């Protein structure tokens, strides 16, 4: 079985969990309890991992054509199938809590997957193929029919109830495979509700009405957010994706909705991204701020402060679970074959154990951005957070670490990590008036200036004529593009200009894509948007705008980005939808709107 291209998937969200549905009408990924919970549909990672397909009989053959789009300002997906017999629409959503509006959205999501089939013309025979496989495909459940016609799935810790406001569903051998006809003007609604096996029963919702209410919930939420910069349509779409990646109960933003989609087909760099990274934190917060989502910015900051807790001598973890869990230890799912045979499939991410010196800089950048909301004098907990992180940087900045790309090999002196250490000290010095007697400004200034001098001396490789990824190494790394973005150097500094040119020349590819390093076969979407920002900061706004439009054009037909884009095939690679890719787009659009913006 050939895998569905990653770019063929649409993303559904209820701000509790995420689902992926392909152009072929199959829901191939759903972790219903929360983003990082076990899947009940996992065909994304194994042909036998479970799925739920609704599509015309003979879909994919000659004469079958698909059009799809999101309802405006939502993650409610409408797929129209045109067949020789007629046309039919399938609208998919993860249900909002009934009546939820504006910032209530996602707080009490009922964990219900809605699918509404609507006849548009003619008479079309539809096929239903329902094969739940809970616990990452480990369980083949029994399906039993209730007196009201609903199908009940009881399997281990999971209970599911599938209802259909139309044909009676018949189960056999742990699955449903049947057909029904739909004619012009007819609607048939399905709802699949999840609950824990030993908790309250799954919710019962009327599909058609709940679907309409979910559209209104999304649109009411987006209606209170206003963005006035360039490229408003793609920025609003990316902001909606970030909302969809938000775990509303805590305010954390998950890095992606999936695990183990490969950076290289057949490779082993397959990691679980269903967690919240502190590294992404300041970038995420700024993107939400730019997209005029201040309430979400504040909730994200509150989550981070609570997750970090009291600062000690141990490094702050780079990532946390969505409710602030620290231990997200990694293990392999041996029963999953992996996307296109790309093994291993991971659950959990051991990067939480790494020393990554850039993390405090991201957190203190976020504090600086929210300083006016946080007050002229910080409360005791916030003071301890800022002072504790600053002292950690002052004590450890000279050590090697694992860097922004989280390699699983030796620690090194990464340029980007040292620069973010400078950012941490610089922001701490600026925040000092709000910190009281604990602020040791004179010493902090000295450390800040020492870090800067070290980066300028050790980070530039004379033989390469550019800032490189690791002190003393000639190897280019697109992370050097971050220097102007965080304000360490102006983009028109001669050495920085030379670095930008070298990255564009040696790591760039067709379509405006930029690789992280030379051996990488795919462009990294975030780095590609960093190049846009650098060009805009260097005064090349027209060229930056053209590059922005090229890179933005690599999104799929729904405006979604994965982590990377193959330079030759343009195939999406890596986990999807990827928060950092959409964050990069928002930042670059705003930089083109106002190059002087902080």
């Amino acid at each position: 079985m050939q895998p569905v291209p990653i770019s063929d998937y649409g993303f559904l969200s209820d701000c509790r969990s995420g689902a992926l549905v392909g152009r072929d009408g199959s829901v191939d990924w759903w972790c219903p309890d929360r983003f990082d919970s076990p899947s009940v549909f996992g065909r994304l990672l194994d042909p036998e991992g479970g799925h739920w397909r609704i599509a015309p009989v003979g879909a994919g053959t000659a004469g079958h054509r698909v059009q799809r789009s999101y309802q405006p300002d939502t993650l409610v997906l409408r797929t129209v199938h045109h067949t020789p017999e007629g046309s039919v629409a399938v609208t998919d959503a993860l249900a909002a809590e009934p009546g939820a509006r504006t910032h209530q959205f996602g707080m009490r999501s009922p964990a219900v997957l809605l699918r509404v089939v609507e006849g548009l013309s003619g008479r079309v025979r539809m096929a239903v193929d329902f094969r739940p496989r809970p616990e990452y495909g480990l369980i083949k459940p029994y399906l039993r029919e209730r007196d009201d016609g609903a199908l009940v799935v009881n399997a281990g810790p999971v209970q599911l109830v599938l209802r259909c406001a139309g044909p009676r569903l018949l189960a056999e051998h742990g699955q449903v495979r049947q057909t029904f006809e739909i004619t012009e003007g007819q609607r048939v609604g399905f709802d699949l509700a999840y609950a824990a096996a030993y908790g309250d029963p799954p919710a019962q919702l009327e599909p058609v009405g709940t679907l309409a209410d979910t559209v209104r919930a999304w649109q009411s939420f987006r209606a209170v957010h206003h963005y006035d910069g360039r490229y408003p349509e793609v920025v609003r779409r990316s902001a909606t994706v970030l909302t969809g990646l938000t775990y509303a109960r805590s305010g954390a933003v998950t890095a992606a909705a999936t695990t183990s989609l490969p950076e290289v087909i057949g490779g082993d760099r397959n990691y679980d991204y269903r967690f919240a990274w502190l590294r992404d934190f300041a970038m995420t917060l700024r993107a939400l701020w730019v997209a005029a989502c201040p309430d979400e910015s504040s909730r994200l900051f509150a989550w981070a402060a609570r997750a970090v807790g009291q600062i000690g001598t141990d490094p702050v973890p780079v990532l946390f679970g969505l409710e602030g869990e620290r231990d997200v230890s990694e293990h392999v799912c041996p029963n999953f074959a992996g996307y296109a045979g790309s093994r291993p499939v991971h659950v959990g991410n051991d990067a939480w154990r790494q020393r990554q010196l850039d993390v405090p800089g991201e957190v203190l950048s976020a504090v600086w951005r929210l300083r006016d909301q946080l007050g002229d004098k910080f409360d005791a907990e916030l003071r301890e957070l800022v002072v504790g992180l600053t002292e950690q940087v002052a004590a450890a900045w000279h050590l090697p670490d694992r860097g922004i790309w989280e390699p699983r090999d030796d620690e090194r002196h990464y340029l980007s990590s040292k620069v973010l250490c400078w950012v941490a000290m610089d922001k701490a010095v600026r925040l000092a008036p709000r910190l009281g007697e604990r602020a040791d400004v004179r010493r902090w200034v000295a450390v800040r200036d020492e870090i800067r001098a070290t980066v300028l001396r050790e980070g530039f490789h004379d033989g390469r004529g550019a800032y490189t990824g690791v002190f003393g190494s000639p190897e280019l790394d697109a992370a050097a593009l971050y220097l102007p973005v965080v304000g360490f150097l102006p983009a028109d500094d001669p050495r920085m200009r030379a670095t930008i040119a070298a990255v564009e020349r040696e790591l760039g590819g067709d379509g405006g894509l930029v690789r992280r390093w030379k051996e990488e076969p795919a462009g990294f979407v975030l780095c590609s948007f960093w190049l846009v920002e650098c060009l805009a900061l260097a005064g090349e706004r027209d060229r930056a705008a053209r590059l922005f439009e090229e890179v933005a054009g690599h999104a799929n037909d729904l405006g979604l980005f994965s982590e990377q884009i193959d330079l030759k095939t343009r195939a999406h690679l890596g986990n999807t939808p990827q928060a950092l890719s959409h964050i990069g787009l928002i930042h670059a659009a705003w930089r083109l709107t106002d190059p002087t913006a902080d």
Side-chain angles (χ1 to χ4, degrees):
M1 175 182 174
Q2 289 295 318
V4 174
I6 294 171
S7 59
D8 271 13
Y9 283 107
F11 172 51
L12 312 179
S13 172
D14 54 7
C15 295
R16 167 179 176 167
S17 66
L20 296 187
V21 54
R23 291 175 63 87
D24 62 354
S26 183
V27 179
D28 288 348
W29 186 251
W30 187 32
C31 303
D33 190 28
R34 60 185 226 180
F35 289 102
D36 56 350
S37 65
S39 63
V40 298
F41 300 132
R43 188 163 73 167
L44 178 72
L45 297 175
D46 189 281
E48 301 302 320
H51 67 279
W52 181 17
R53 186 169 183 260
I54 302 178
V57 173
T61 60
H64 176 241
R65 183 168 54 89
V66 173
Q67 294 176 301
R68 60 181 186 165
S69 62
Y70 284 119
Q71 303 281 35
D73 283 336
T74 76
L75 291 178
V76 176
L77 178 61
R78 179 178 169 87
T79 302
V80 178
H81 299 270
H82 299 285
T83 78
E85 293 76 29
S87 297
V88 61
V90 181
T91 304
D92 297 318
L94 289 174
E97 180 187 10
R101 295 294 182 268
T102 61
H103 292 100
Q104 300 170 340
F105 184 75
M107 295 294 185
R108 295 180 179 84
S109 297
V112 177
L113 177 55
L114 304 171
R115 312 198 73 181
V116 175
V117 183
E118 179 183 2
L120 302 179
S121 66
R123 181 183 295 273
V124 180
R125 179 161 290 279
M126 302 293 290
V128 178
D129 186 357
F130 175 74
R131 305 185 194 188
R133 296 293 184 266
E135 200 75 11
Y136 296 116
L138 286 172
I139 302 174
K140 184 177 181 179
Y142 289 105
L143 276 64
R144 63 177 177 83
E145 187 177 343
R146 285 194 325 208
D147 292 341
D148 63 1
L151 289 179
V152 178
V153 179
N154 285 313
V158 170
Q159 54 178 328
L160 299 167
V161 176
L162 174 63
R163 302 189 307 153
C164 175
R168 194 174 189 88
L169 298 174
L170 303 174
E172 187 176 5
H173 305 303
Q175 67 186 67
V176 174
R177 294 193 70 179
Q178 67 186 78
T179 63
F180 66 95
E181 281 193 341
I182 190 159
T183 60
E184 182 176 347
Q186 184 182 7
R187 286 183 178 176
V188 175
F190 297 79
D191 63 291
L192 177 64
Y194 158 85
Y198 301 104
D200 295 331
Q204 293 191 19
L205 302 175
E206 190 280 310
V208 174
T210 304
L211 181 66
D213 196 50
T214 298
V215 170
R216 289 192 291 270
W218 272 103
Q219 292 177 341
S220 72
F221 183 87
R222 297 303 322 159
V224 300
H225 302 120
H226 303 285
Y227 167 78
D228 297 322
R230 295 185 67 177
Y231 306 105
E233 290 186 9
V234 293
V235 168
R236 284 184 71 85
R237 169 52 52 205
S238 287
T240 301
V241 173
L242 289 183
T243 299
L245 290 170
T246 299
Y247 182 69
R249 294 179 186 181
S250 67
V253 177
T254 185
T258 59
T259 178
S260 300
L261 290 179
E263 296 179 11
V264 177
I265 298 297
D268 61 0
R269 287 180 57 85
N270 317 318
Y271 300 123
D272 193 347
Y273 279 14
R274 298 172 300 158
F275 306 106
W277 265 253
L278 283 185
R279 170 183 299 111
D280 305 353
F281 168 59
M283 290 186 276
T284 306
L285 189 142
R286 181 171 180 262
L288 292 171
W289 191 269
V290 165
C293 308
D295 290 333
E296 288 68 51
S297 300
S298 298
R299 293 193 68 236
L300 176 60
F301 181 83
W303 166 83
R306 182 168 183 168
V308 170
Q310 189 170 352
I311 304 297
T313 56
D314 293 333
V316 174
V318 67
L319 66 103
F320 293 86
L322 301 177
E323 293 182 355
E325 303 91 341
R326 288 200 173 206
D327 188 344
V328 292
S329 295
E330 184 175 289
H331 69 272
V332 171
C333 264
N335 58 303
F336 270 178
Y339 180 86
S342 304
R343 286 183 170 177
V345 170
H346 285 118
V347 172
N349 195 309
D350 274 347
W352 76 276
R353 305 176 189 273
Q354 293 183 352
R355 176 165 57 202
Q356 298 185 18
L357 296 174
D358 61 307
V359 172
E362 298 289 3
V363 177
L364 295 183
S365 290
V367 176
W368 175 252
R369 182 163 298 280
L370 290 180
R371 61 193 181 278
D372 291 338
Q373 293 172 253
L374 296 171
D376 291 337
K377 293 290 183 183
F378 291 169
D379 63 30
E381 287 188 6
L382 184 55
R383 285 200 306 272
E384 289 302 312
L385 175 70
V386 173
V387 173
L389 288 175
T390 304
E391 293 296 347
Q392 274 199 357
V393 173
W397 72 268
H398 61 284
L399 298 174
D401 75 335
R402 293 293 174 81
I404 191 171
W405 308 129
E406 300 179 353
R408 299 290 178 100
D409 56 8
D410 297 335
E411 293 184 339
R412 297 179 174 87
H413 292 282
Y414 285 96
L415 173 78
S416 57
S417 297
K418 305 303 185 189
V419 168
L420 264 295
C421 287
W422 173 87
V423 169
M425 301 307 299
D426 183 63
K427 294 299 186 282
V429 169
R430 298 184 187 206
L431 291 167
R434 303 166 193 247
L435 300 176
E437 296 179 357
R438 294 284 311 280
D440 191 347
V441 180
R442 180 174 296 180
R443 183 167 57 87
W444 291 355
V445 167
V447 173
R448 180 194 65 183
D449 293 348
E450 184 183 1
I451 297 171
R452 181 177 179 83
T454 301
V455 170
L456 294 176
R457 182 180 67 251
E458 304 291 340
F460 191 85
H461 192 279
D462 290 328
R464 172 62 76 175
Y467 288 100
T468 56
V470 176
F471 285 2
S473 169
E475 299 300 321
L476 286 175
D477 184 333
L481 297 175
Y482 207 30
L483 273 63
V485 172
V486 299
F488 182 82
L489 279 176
D492 58 1
D493 173 270
R495 286 186 162 190
M496 196 64 234
R497 267 205 173 277
T499 301
I500 295 168
V503 168
E504 190 172 13
R505 181 178 63 251
E506 299 186 36
L507 301 184
D510 292 340
L513 296 168
V514 174
R515 295 169 292 168
R516 288 176 294 179
W517 47 78
K518 193 145 190 175
E519 296 77 18
E520 193 168 43
F524 202 84
V525 176
L526 174 65
C527 297
S528 305
F529 283 122
W530 279 350
L531 179 57
V532 173
E533 288 199 70
C534 285
L535 293 176
L537 287 166
E540 299 184 56
R541 294 184 66 185
D542 289 343
R543 192 157 76 90
R546 290 194 297 272
L547 180 63
F548 177 91
E549 291 163 12
E550 274 193 286
V551 178
H554 292 295
N556 76 356
D557 58 318
L558 298 173
L560 303 178
F561 280 108
S562 63
E563 184 178 38
Q564 301 186 57
I565 310 290
D566 188 279
L567 293 178
K568 294 181 179 178
T569 67
R570 299 295 188 263
H572 284 211
L573 294 169
N575 286 304
T576 195
Q578 177 78 12
L580 279 180
S581 299
H582 291 276
I583 289 165
L585 182 148
I586 294 171
H587 287 182
W590 186 243
R591 190 73 73 181
L592 287 166
T593 301
D594 182 4
T596 65
D598 180 13

